[in-house]
Amino acid sequence: MPEPLVLPTITNGEHTLREWSHDDIEVLREAATDPYIPAITTVPQPFDPATAAAYIDRQKDRARAGTGYSFVVVEGSRPIGNIGPWLRDLDLGRASIGYWLVPSARGKGTATRILTTLSDWAFATLHIPRLELYVEPWNTASLRAAQKAGFREEGLLRSWQEIGDNRADMLMFSRIRSDTDQTRNRNG
Ligand SMILES: CC(C)(COP(=O)(O)OP(=O)(O)OC[C@H]1O[C@@H](n2cnc3c(N)ncnc32)[C@H](O)[C@@H]1OP(=O)(O)O)[C@@H](O)C(=O)NCCC(=O)NCCS
Protein backbone atom coordinates (compact mmCIF):
# COMPACT_ATOMS: atom_id res chain seq x y z
CA MET A 1 0.00 0.00 0.00
CA PRO A 2 1.62 3.37 -1.03
CA GLU A 3 2.29 5.91 1.74
CA PRO A 4 0.19 9.12 1.79
CA LEU A 5 1.99 12.01 0.06
CA VAL A 6 2.41 15.54 1.38
CA LEU A 7 2.12 18.16 -1.37
CA PRO A 8 4.72 20.91 -1.19
CA THR A 9 4.17 24.39 -2.62
CA ILE A 10 6.44 24.88 -5.64
CA THR A 11 7.09 28.29 -7.19
CA ASN A 12 8.99 29.48 -10.24
CA GLY A 13 8.62 33.20 -9.62
CA GLU A 14 5.57 33.51 -11.86
CA HIS A 15 3.44 30.50 -10.95
CA THR A 16 2.73 28.51 -7.85
CA LEU A 17 1.87 24.82 -7.80
CA ARG A 18 0.05 23.89 -4.61
CA GLU A 19 -2.59 21.58 -3.14
CA TRP A 20 -6.16 22.05 -4.37
CA SER A 21 -8.58 23.87 -2.06
CA HIS A 22 -12.35 24.18 -2.32
CA ASP A 23 -11.77 27.93 -2.76
CA ASP A 24 -10.37 27.09 -6.22
CA ILE A 25 -13.73 25.83 -7.48
CA GLU A 26 -14.39 28.67 -9.96
CA VAL A 27 -11.50 27.56 -12.22
CA LEU A 28 -13.56 24.44 -12.94
CA ARG A 29 -16.43 26.56 -14.29
CA GLU A 30 -14.18 27.77 -17.14
CA ALA A 31 -12.46 24.39 -17.56
CA ALA A 32 -15.89 22.82 -18.11
CA THR A 33 -16.46 25.09 -21.14
CA ASP A 34 -13.34 23.73 -22.92
CA PRO A 35 -14.11 21.07 -25.54
CA TYR A 36 -11.06 18.92 -24.63
CA ILE A 37 -10.38 19.17 -20.87
CA PRO A 38 -13.49 17.20 -19.77
CA ALA A 39 -12.66 14.51 -22.37
CA ILE A 40 -9.20 13.78 -20.92
CA THR A 41 -9.92 14.43 -17.23
CA THR A 42 -12.79 14.00 -14.79
CA VAL A 43 -13.57 17.75 -14.82
CA PRO A 44 -17.39 17.66 -14.84
CA GLN A 45 -19.23 19.08 -17.84
CA PRO A 46 -21.53 20.90 -17.41
CA PHE A 47 -20.21 22.68 -14.32
CA ASP A 48 -22.17 22.31 -11.14
CA PRO A 49 -20.91 23.04 -7.63
CA ALA A 50 -21.43 19.54 -6.21
CA THR A 51 -19.64 17.61 -8.96
CA ALA A 52 -16.92 20.27 -9.13
CA ALA A 53 -16.35 19.90 -5.37
CA ALA A 54 -16.09 16.14 -5.87
CA TYR A 55 -13.39 16.74 -8.53
CA ILE A 56 -11.38 18.72 -5.97
CA ASP A 57 -11.82 15.93 -3.41
CA ARG A 58 -10.50 13.41 -5.96
CA GLN A 59 -7.35 15.52 -6.50
CA LYS A 60 -6.73 15.54 -2.75
CA ASP A 61 -7.46 11.80 -2.55
CA ARG A 62 -4.66 11.03 -5.01
CA ALA A 63 -2.12 12.28 -2.49
CA ARG A 64 -3.83 10.56 0.43
CA ALA A 65 -3.77 7.28 -1.53
CA GLY A 66 -0.17 7.87 -2.62
CA THR A 67 -1.07 7.53 -6.32
CA GLY A 68 -0.05 11.00 -7.51
CA TYR A 69 0.55 14.67 -6.84
CA SER A 70 -2.23 16.81 -8.29
CA PHE A 71 -1.34 20.52 -8.09
CA VAL A 72 -3.57 23.47 -8.85
CA VAL A 73 -1.62 26.02 -10.96
CA VAL A 74 -1.90 29.55 -9.59
CA GLU A 75 -0.91 32.77 -11.41
CA GLY A 76 -0.77 35.69 -8.95
CA SER A 77 -3.72 34.67 -6.78
CA ARG A 78 -5.76 33.20 -9.63
CA PRO A 79 -6.09 29.43 -10.13
CA ILE A 80 -5.64 28.66 -13.85
CA GLY A 81 -5.15 24.92 -14.23
CA ASN A 82 -3.89 21.58 -13.05
CA ILE A 83 -0.63 19.66 -13.35
CA GLY A 84 0.79 16.61 -11.69
CA PRO A 85 2.81 13.44 -11.92
CA TRP A 86 0.80 10.24 -11.56
CA LEU A 87 2.80 7.53 -9.80
CA ARG A 88 1.22 4.24 -10.86
CA ASP A 89 4.54 3.01 -12.32
CA LEU A 90 6.79 4.54 -9.68
CA ASP A 91 8.12 1.10 -8.66
CA LEU A 92 9.40 0.82 -12.25
CA GLY A 93 11.09 4.24 -12.03
CA ARG A 94 8.53 6.05 -14.18
CA ALA A 95 5.88 8.73 -13.67
CA SER A 96 3.57 10.34 -16.21
CA ILE A 97 2.59 13.99 -16.17
CA GLY A 98 -0.85 15.36 -17.04
CA TYR A 99 -1.79 19.05 -17.34
CA TRP A 100 -4.44 21.51 -18.48
CA LEU A 101 -4.91 25.28 -18.39
CA VAL A 102 -8.15 27.21 -18.79
CA PRO A 103 -8.47 28.89 -22.23
CA SER A 104 -8.06 32.44 -20.83
CA ALA A 105 -4.59 31.56 -19.43
CA ARG A 106 -3.12 30.06 -22.62
CA GLY A 107 -0.81 31.30 -25.35
CA LYS A 108 1.91 32.95 -23.26
CA GLY A 109 4.29 30.12 -22.45
CA THR A 110 2.71 29.04 -19.16
CA ALA A 111 2.48 25.33 -20.00
CA THR A 112 6.13 25.27 -21.01
CA ARG A 113 7.19 26.94 -17.76
CA ILE A 114 5.12 24.86 -15.35
CA LEU A 115 6.10 21.63 -17.10
CA THR A 116 9.76 22.57 -16.73
CA THR A 117 9.26 23.54 -13.07
CA LEU A 118 7.39 20.34 -12.21
CA SER A 119 9.87 18.10 -14.06
CA ASP A 120 12.89 19.71 -12.40
CA TRP A 121 11.19 19.23 -9.01
CA ALA A 122 10.33 15.57 -9.75
CA PHE A 123 13.92 14.74 -10.75
CA ALA A 124 15.48 16.61 -7.84
CA THR A 125 13.05 15.76 -5.05
CA LEU A 126 11.33 12.53 -6.01
CA HIS A 127 14.42 11.08 -7.75
CA ILE A 128 12.29 9.63 -10.55
CA PRO A 129 14.57 8.51 -13.42
CA ARG A 130 12.01 8.86 -16.23
CA LEU A 131 9.08 11.23 -16.78
CA GLU A 132 6.55 10.50 -19.52
CA LEU A 133 3.86 12.43 -21.38
CA TYR A 134 1.18 11.19 -23.76
CA VAL A 135 -0.03 13.71 -26.36
CA GLU A 136 -2.50 13.36 -29.23
CA PRO A 137 -0.71 14.08 -32.55
CA TRP A 138 -3.00 17.03 -33.44
CA ASN A 139 -2.37 18.79 -30.09
CA THR A 140 0.31 21.21 -31.33
CA ALA A 141 0.25 23.41 -28.24
CA SER A 142 0.92 20.44 -25.95
CA LEU A 143 3.56 18.94 -28.28
CA ARG A 144 5.44 22.23 -28.45
CA ALA A 145 5.22 22.78 -24.69
CA ALA A 146 6.61 19.27 -24.11
CA GLN A 147 9.50 19.78 -26.53
CA LYS A 148 10.38 23.18 -25.09
CA ALA A 149 10.33 21.71 -21.56
CA GLY A 150 13.01 19.20 -22.61
CA PHE A 151 10.84 16.19 -23.47
CA ARG A 152 11.80 14.08 -26.46
CA GLU A 153 9.32 12.40 -28.80
CA GLU A 154 9.74 8.60 -28.85
CA GLY A 155 6.98 7.25 -31.05
CA LEU A 156 3.31 6.76 -31.77
CA LEU A 157 1.30 4.48 -29.51
CA ARG A 158 -1.57 3.30 -31.69
CA SER A 159 -5.08 3.10 -30.25
CA TRP A 160 -3.53 3.78 -26.83
CA GLN A 161 -6.47 5.11 -24.86
CA GLU A 162 -10.14 5.91 -24.96
CA ILE A 163 -10.89 9.62 -25.27
CA GLY A 164 -14.57 10.47 -25.52
CA ASP A 165 -16.14 7.80 -27.74
CA ASN A 166 -12.96 6.95 -29.66
CA ARG A 167 -9.68 5.10 -29.21
CA ALA A 168 -6.92 7.69 -29.64
CA ASP A 169 -3.35 7.31 -30.90
CA MET A 170 -0.88 9.03 -28.57
CA LEU A 171 2.65 10.28 -29.08
CA MET A 172 4.94 9.22 -26.25
CA PHE A 173 7.39 11.80 -24.92
CA SER A 174 9.99 11.35 -22.21
CA ARG A 175 12.50 13.36 -20.27
CA ILE A 176 15.23 11.40 -18.50
CA ARG A 177 16.99 12.53 -15.33
CA SER A 178 20.41 11.93 -16.90
CA ASP A 179 19.48 14.37 -19.75
CA THR A 180 19.03 17.01 -17.08
CA ASP A 181 22.31 16.08 -15.33
CA GLN A 182 24.21 16.24 -18.64
CA THR A 183 22.73 19.65 -19.43
CA ARG A 184 23.74 20.86 -15.96
CA ASN A 185 27.29 19.53 -16.38
CA ARG A 186 27.63 21.17 -19.79
CA ASN A 187 26.39 24.48 -18.39
CA GLY A 188 28.73 24.21 -15.41
C1 LIG B 1 -1.79 22.25 -23.98
C2 LIG B 1 -1.92 23.52 -23.14
C3 LIG B 1 -1.64 23.16 -21.68
C4 LIG B 1 -0.87 24.52 -23.67
O1 LIG B 1 -0.88 25.67 -22.82
P1 LIG B 1 -0.19 27.07 -23.20
O2 LIG B 1 0.23 27.74 -21.94
O3 LIG B 1 -1.06 27.82 -24.12
O4 LIG B 1 1.12 26.60 -23.99
P2 LIG B 1 2.39 27.52 -24.27
O5 LIG B 1 1.94 28.97 -24.26
O6 LIG B 1 3.50 27.09 -23.37
O7 LIG B 1 2.69 27.19 -25.80
C5 LIG B 1 3.48 26.13 -26.20
C6 LIG B 1 3.65 26.19 -27.69
O8 LIG B 1 2.43 25.85 -28.36
C7 LIG B 1 2.08 26.86 -29.29
N1 LIG B 1 0.63 26.97 -29.26
C8 LIG B 1 -0.13 27.45 -28.26
N2 LIG B 1 -1.43 27.33 -28.59
C9 LIG B 1 -1.47 26.79 -29.82
C10 LIG B 1 -2.51 26.43 -30.71
N3 LIG B 1 -3.80 26.57 -30.36
N4 LIG B 1 -2.19 25.88 -31.90
C11 LIG B 1 -0.91 25.71 -32.25
N5 LIG B 1 0.14 26.02 -31.44
C12 LIG B 1 -0.15 26.56 -30.25
C13 LIG B 1 2.77 28.11 -28.79
O9 LIG B 1 2.97 29.03 -29.84
C14 LIG B 1 4.06 27.55 -28.24
O10 LIG B 1 4.94 27.24 -29.30
P3 LIG B 1 6.09 28.23 -29.77
O11 LIG B 1 6.83 28.62 -28.53
O12 LIG B 1 6.86 27.43 -30.72
O13 LIG B 1 5.40 29.40 -30.35
C15 LIG B 1 -3.34 24.15 -23.27
O14 LIG B 1 -3.59 24.43 -24.62
C16 LIG B 1 -4.43 23.25 -22.73
O15 LIG B 1 -4.68 23.21 -21.53
N6 LIG B 1 -5.13 22.50 -23.62
C17 LIG B 1 -6.23 21.62 -23.24
C18 LIG B 1 -5.77 20.45 -22.38
C19 LIG B 1 -4.59 19.72 -23.01
O16 LIG B 1 -4.48 19.58 -24.22
N7 LIG B 1 -3.70 19.23 -22.12
C20 LIG B 1 -2.52 18.49 -22.53
C21 LIG B 1 -2.86 17.09 -22.81
S1 LIG B 1 -1.43 16.18 -23.39
Side-chain angles (χ1 to χ4, degrees):
M1 193 64 184
E3 295 286 312
L5 306 170
V6 178
L7 263 74
T9 295
I10 305 169
T11 55
N12 64 14
E14 279 172 280
H15 306 102
T16 302
L17 312 181
R18 62 156 170 77
E19 190 178 7
W20 278 87
S21 144
H22 282 276
D23 293 339
D24 301 320
I25 197 163
E26 282 301 310
V27 71
L28 299 175
R29 189 185 295 275
E30 184 180 350
T33 66
D34 185 72
Y36 194 51
I37 294 172
I40 56 165
T41 67
T42 61
V43 169
Q45 186 183 51
F47 174 89
D48 87 77
T51 51
Y55 173 89
I56 293 174
D57 287 336
R58 282 195 297 279
Q59 307 319 301
K60 294 159 126 5
D61 285 347
R62 281 185 207 273
R64 278 190 210 114
T67 55
Y69 294 81
S70 181
F71 295 98
V72 62
V73 182
V74 181
E75 189 171 65
S77 58
R78 176 187 170 223
I80 57 167
N82 182 227
I83 191 165
W86 318 139
L87 305 180
R88 197 182 42 201
D89 290 333
L90 189 61
D91 289 351
L92 304 173
R94 303 194 294 257
S96 68
I97 300 182
Y99 47 91
W100 56 261
L101 296 172
V102 285
S104 62
R106 295 179 193 164
K108 48 183 187 167
T110 300
T112 306
R113 280 196 285 278
I114 59 171
L115 200 44
T116 304
T117 301
L118 184 75
S119 307
D120 289 348
W121 172 78
F123 287 133
T125 310
L126 303 180
H127 307 292
I128 297 173
R130 175 183 162 97
L131 296 173
E132 299 175 343
L133 296 177
Y134 303 86
V135 185
E136 286 198 79
W138 57 261
N139 195 345
T140 312
S142 189
L143 300 179
R144 290 288 303 138
Q147 288 162 342
K148 291 173 74 184
F151 284 77
R152 200 179 292 177
E153 187 180 319
E154 295 183 326
L156 185 70
L157 304 168
R158 294 182 303 154
S159 191
W160 182 252
Q161 77 186 63
E162 203 163 293
I163 296 187
D165 295 333
N166 300 310
R167 297 290 305 179
D169 296 346
M170 303 300 275
L171 285 170
M172 161 75 90
F173 283 78
S174 72
R175 193 176 145 189
I176 307 293
R177 191 171 59 209
S178 53
D179 293 345
T180 312
D181 294 343
Q182 280 161 18
T183 309
R184 268 209 200 103
N185 291 340
R186 266 203 309 276
N187 295 339

